């Protein structure tokens, strides 16, 4: 196990499509007075990591993945005033400086100061800045006073708190983007971790009905367990299924699938299908929330237009119905403090999505199984420095 007196640590390397490996790299150092270094206790494999793992981005060999990170501070920069060694913290996947106009307005996912030429930064993600990911034993945290969320000491709620880095706030954000209000009905497309969190957020926030659309039995079973109505899109048109069971269109719909959506066969990619289904299933003047990832360039797209990020949707029907639409990555800091307190109060337990907890050495196998959706792999936590309890 690496310590701060050592110069090397273990980290997960991207080696190319469908290939990752654990290698030794340099332990990160303080580079700026606002930095801290954390010993990573828990990091997650995210569905968004699979886009890179599959070679569907411009990610280059050597990238260290990991944008959902938490741990304990081991080193502190001279400019850090709100944190101390030994603090247990969880980090938004967004890297933000807290100084730009967007940060001042709370839109930290679109910080213009951390990634020149691009609005937004993140740990361990292609085109999101020079920030090493946290699927490693140690991690440098820039602008730490602004980015870190303090947690209670110890190891209680470790898996729940890990969800605060991305998927719990992102699921919640999907509902916010849709304009959801308590008492409304919601359709969530995609029962991966973000989709389940969007559905769970709907339950917590008082949705009258939450429909969850997917094809994977384990995911649909998880949705049913939290009080949602599962819809298998391979059985028949999910829009028709929802309208029939809801006795009409829903008030809000959330796309938690993104650009690798598939058609009714469950295997052939059709990037526009979920967006069109959202438009068709939502009542006139309802709202659409789209936290599902879409990219401006996809080297593995099924057609040229989609490869350039140009996706054909039924815009005429969208306009005719007067639907509102919200898109974009989640501003995690807008939600994570409040969601943390829901966890502490016992009102939320987002770790229900976690299927496996493994060591960093087992991460390559976990990536393979998570990508193939086998052996019940739905959400994986990695513990780079050994078990937390």
């Amino acid at each position: 196990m690496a310590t701060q007196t050592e110069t090397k640590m273990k980290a997960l390397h991207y080696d190319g499509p469908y290939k990752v490996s654990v290698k030794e790299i340099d332990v990160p150092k303080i580079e700026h007075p606002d930095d801290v270094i954390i010993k990573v206790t828990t990091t997650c494999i995210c569905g968004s990591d699979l886009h890179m793992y599959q070679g569907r981005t411009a990610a280059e060999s050597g990238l260290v993945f990991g944008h959902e990170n938490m741990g304990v501070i081991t080193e502190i920069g001279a400019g850090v005033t709100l944190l101390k060694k030994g603090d247990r913290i969880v980090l938004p996947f967004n890297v933000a400086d807290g100084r730009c106009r967007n940060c001042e307005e709370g839109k930290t996912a679109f910080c213009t100061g951390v990634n020149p030429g691009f609005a937004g930064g993140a740990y361990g993600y292609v085109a999101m800045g020079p920030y090493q990911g946290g699927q490693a034993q140690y991690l440098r945290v820039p602008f730490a006073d602004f980015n870190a969320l303090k947690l209670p000491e110890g190891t209680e709620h470790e898996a729940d708190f890990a969800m605060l880095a991305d998927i719990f706030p992102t699921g919640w954000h999907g509902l916010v983007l849709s304009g959801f209000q308590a008492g409304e009905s919601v359709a969530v497309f995609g029962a991966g971790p973000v989709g389940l969190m969007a559905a769970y957020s709907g339950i917590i926030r008082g949705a009258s009905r939450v429909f969850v659309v997917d094809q994977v039995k384990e995911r649909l079973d998880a949705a049913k367990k939290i009080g949602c109505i599962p819809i298998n899109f391979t059985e028949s048109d999910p829009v028709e299924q929802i309208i029939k069971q809801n006795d009409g269109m829903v008030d809000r719909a959330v796309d938690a699938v993104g650009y690798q959506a598939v058609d009714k066969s469950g295997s052939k990619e059709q990037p526009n299908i979920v967006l069109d289904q959202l438009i068709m299933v939502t009542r006139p003047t309802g709202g659409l929330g789209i936290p599902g990832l879409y990219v401006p360039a996809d080297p593995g797209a099924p057609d040229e237009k989609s490869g350039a990020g140009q996706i054909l949707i039924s815009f005429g029907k969208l306009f005719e119905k007067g639907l509102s639409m919200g898109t974009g990555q989640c501003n995690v800091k807008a939600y994570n403090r409040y969601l943390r307190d829901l966890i502490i109060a016992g009102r939320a337990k987002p770790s229900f999505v976690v299927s496996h907890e493994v060591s960093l050495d087992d991460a390559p196998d976990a990536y393979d199984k998570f990508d193939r959706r086998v052996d019940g792999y739905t959400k994986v936590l990695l513990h780079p420095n050994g078990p937390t309890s």
Side-chain angles (χ1 to χ4, degrees), residues 28 83 92 98 114 148 179 201 238 246 255 265 269 274 296 303-304 308 347 350:
L83 303 167
V114 295
S201 298
N246 193 52
D255 174 2
S265 72
E269 285 194 18
V274 168
D303 60 82
E304 185 177 352
R347 301 291 299 276

Side-chain angles (χ1 to χ4, degrees), residues 8-28:
K8 298 292 183 180
M9 67 173 182
K10 290 181 178 180
L12 189 83
H13 264 229
Y14 174 63
D15 297 326
Y18 300 98
K19 295 179 181 178
V20 292
S21 61
V22 177
K23 294 189 169 102
E24 283 201 339
I25 65 171
D26 291 338
V27 171

Side-chain angles (χ1 to χ4, degrees), residues 37-38 60 67 71 76 101 107 161 168 194 205 215 233 241 246 249 283 291 294 300 316 321 327 334 368:
I37 306 296
I38 65 167
E60 297 181 357
H67 58 270
I76 239 168
R101 176 178 177 175
K107 300 169 184 173
F161 289 148
F168 195 12
V194 169
R205 296 176 62 185
Q215 63 170 324
F233 69 81
Q241 290 187 62
N246 193 52
M249 299 177 190
R283 66 170 174 83
Y294 288 86
K321 295 174 80 171
T327 71
D368 174 60

Side-chain angles (χ1 to χ4, degrees), residues 6-322:
E6 294 178 319
T7 60
K8 298 292 183 180
M9 67 173 182
K10 290 181 178 180
L12 189 83
H13 264 229
Y14 174 63
D15 297 326
Y18 300 98
K19 295 179 181 178
V20 292
S21 61
V22 177
K23 294 189 169 102
E24 283 201 339
I25 65 171
D26 291 338
V27 171
K29 298 177 181 178
I30 298 289
E31 298 179 14
H32 186 278
D34 290 344
D35 291 349
V36 302
I37 306 296
I38 65 167
K39 181 179 182 180
V40 179
T41 56
T42 300
T43 182
C44 312
I45 301 177
C46 182
S48 297
D49 292 326
L50 294 183
H51 299 306
M52 296 185 290
Y53 176 74
Q54 296 163 354
R56 295 296 293 270
T57 71
E60 297 181 357
S61 177
L63 180 63
V64 176
F65 291 166
H67 58 270
E68 300 174 277
N69 308 308
M70 64 183 291
V72 176
I73 295 175
T74 58
E75 281 190 64
I76 239 168
V80 176
T81 61
L82 303 179
L83 303 167
K84 65 183 185 302
K85 288 184 182 181
D87 280 348
R88 181 190 187 202
I89 61 174
V90 63
L91 306 168
F93 74 86
N94 324 114
V95 176
D97 64 10
R99 300 175 173 118
C100 75
R101 176 178 177 175
N102 284 342
C103 284
E104 287 179 349
E105 294 179 355
K107 300 169 184 173
T108 53
F110 306 94
C111 176
T112 56
V114 295
N115 190 9
F118 193 86
Y123 300 96
Y125 211 87
V126 61
M128 298 297 280
Y131 308 103
Q132 175 201 295
Q135 291 176 12
Q137 291 181 293
Y138 289 88
L139 178 69
R140 181 178 73 91
V141 180
F143 309 104
D145 275 340
F146 183 69
N147 287 300
L149 177 68
K150 284 193 201 180
L151 302 170
E153 293 181 4
T155 60
E156 189 178 12
H157 303 303
E158 181 82 8
D160 293 304
F161 289 148
M163 303 299 103
L164 295 173
D166 182 356
I167 66 168
F168 195 12
T170 295
W172 195 278
H173 185 60
L175 284 188
V176 172
L177 289 172
S178 77
F180 171 81
Q181 299 180 73
E184 292 184 321
S185 55
V186 182
V188 177
F189 286 73
V194 169
L196 286 173
M197 286 296 99
Y200 186 51
S201 298
I203 297 293
I204 291 173
R205 296 176 62 185
S208 55
R209 285 178 177 171
V210 180
F211 297 89
V212 177
V213 181
D214 207 287
Q215 63 170 324
V216 180
K217 182 181 184 300
E218 290 86 354
R219 291 176 165 188
L220 292 172
D221 288 346
K224 187 173 182 179
K225 282 182 181 178
I226 60 171
C228 301
I229 301 166
I231 302 290
N232 189 327
F233 69 81
T234 64
E235 294 178 356
S236 64
D237 183 349
V239 173
E240 293 180 359
Q241 290 187 62
I242 292 169
I243 290 174
K244 180 178 179 180
Q245 293 193 48
N246 193 52
D247 195 25
M249 299 177 190
V250 295
D251 300 298
R252 312 288 166 179
V254 175
D255 174 2
V257 178
Y259 73 106
Q260 288 185 262
V262 295
D263 68 8
K264 63 182 179 182
S265 72
S267 57
K268 183 181 178 182
E269 285 194 18
Q270 186 177 336
N272 69 337
I273 189 168
V274 168
L275 293 171
D276 261 6
Q277 288 169 340
L278 261 63
I279 292 168
M280 300 306 172
V281 82
T282 306
R283 66 170 174 83
T285 74
L288 315 180
I290 306 174
L293 181 66
Y294 288 86
V295 293
D298 174 11
D303 60 82
E304 185 177 352
K305 290 291 188 182
S306 298
Q310 299 172 11
I311 297 175
L312 182 67
I313 65 169
S314 300
F315 195 86
K317 182 59 72 172
L318 178 83
F319 183 88
E320 175 194 294
K321 295 174 80 171

Side-chain angles (χ1 to χ4, degrees), residues 328-351:
Q329 301 218 41
C330 175
N331 308 301
V332 171
K333 278 179 63 66
Y335 311 108
N336 64 353
R337 185 178 305 272
Y338 309 103
L339 299 181
R340 174 199 64 186
D341 292 346
L342 281 176
I343 291 168
I344 293 170
R347 301 291 299 276
K349 193 169 181 57
S351 63

